[in-house]
Amino acid sequence: MCGWVIRSSEIYFSLVYDWMKQELMNQPVIQADETPLKENRDGRSTGSTSYMWVYMTGEHDSGGDKVILYDYQKTRGTDHLWDFLSSYTGVLVFDGYQSYHTFSEEKKLISAGYWAHCRRRFANAVKAAGKELEEKQLYNSIAYQALTRIAAIYKLDGSWKDRSSGYRLAHRQQILKPLVEDYFRWVKEQIRDYSVPMKSETGEGLSYSVSQEPYLRAFLDNGDIPLDNSACERAIRPFCVGRKNWNVIDTVAGAQASAIAYSIA
């Protein structure tokens, strides 16, 4: 059965995959992510870590059906991005992983960041502090204040989700830009005050915000850019669920066939 799937993927399904990739390269925004997997027979020791990359049309794209493509690779190297996205000229949305930054800078692509990563660190801090602090102390904490500011940005932008790209852009410039400016001003003030250990969850949220500031601001200048990469994380979830069942992929051919089959499914 595995042989049938692999052979059919090589002969037939790969043609559909290639067509989907051509469609994806024409999109104004591509979102990207990756997840690890174990593989037995790829020339390395058994159970070595490989990666399944995922690329998809932008969350706000309304031009047609969504395209979600899985791409199996042995590593997380920048060279895989060059192989897959060599013809792409639009906007790339990703997390803070350095390979994406390196590729985008070399390719001169517009890079967009991931507000959910800021929010996640502060949410972790609030969750941990909630067991120790009184309610008033919690509300006055830097992590809670950061979450409140980010939540306001998400709420406003979410209210324009079903609007046109032009509408979102205009309202982001008029309404959201002052909130974003104020957020980064406030973050830098907290860092200057040295009141938060930089290795804490709150400190990491603050430092992440500053280090990723140009990428986190990118959505303000383009109505097609989503606030975060959560849609891509959801797109890769079916593969992660399957991975819990089969644990290890046996061969490179099987991994490549899985990438094609998951993309079409």
Side-chain angles (χ1 to χ4, degrees), residues 37-51 72-75 249-253 255:
L37 62 92
K38 298 295 183 182
E39 188 174 347
N40 278 339
R41 292 185 286 173
D42 65 355
R44 299 177 294 175
S45 58
T46 300
S48 294
T49 299
S50 298
Y51 291 88
Y72 162 77
Q73 298 292 346
K74 287 185 180 181
T75 71
I249 286 181
D250 196 42
T251 66
V252 171

Side-chain angles (χ1 to χ4, degrees), residues 56-72:
M56 65 172 288
T57 50
E59 183 179 357
H60 291 316
D61 178 55
S62 57
D65 294 331
K66 296 290 183 185
V67 176
I68 298 171
L69 292 183
Y70 292 79
D71 180 48
Y72 162 77

Side-chain angles (χ1 to χ4, degrees), residues 70 232-243 246 262:
Y70 292 79
C232 202
E233 289 187 349
R234 293 193 296 270
I236 210 168
R237 192 171 296 158
F239 180 82
C240 296
V241 171
R243 183 179 58 199
W246 40 256
Y262 271 101

Side-chain angles (χ1 to χ4, degrees), residues 209-226:
S209 297
V210 172
S211 67
Q212 300 295 309
E213 182 176 355
Y215 313 108
L216 294 173
R217 286 178 176 271
F219 82 102
L220 293 172
D221 299 317
N222 189 322
D224 288 323
I225 297 177

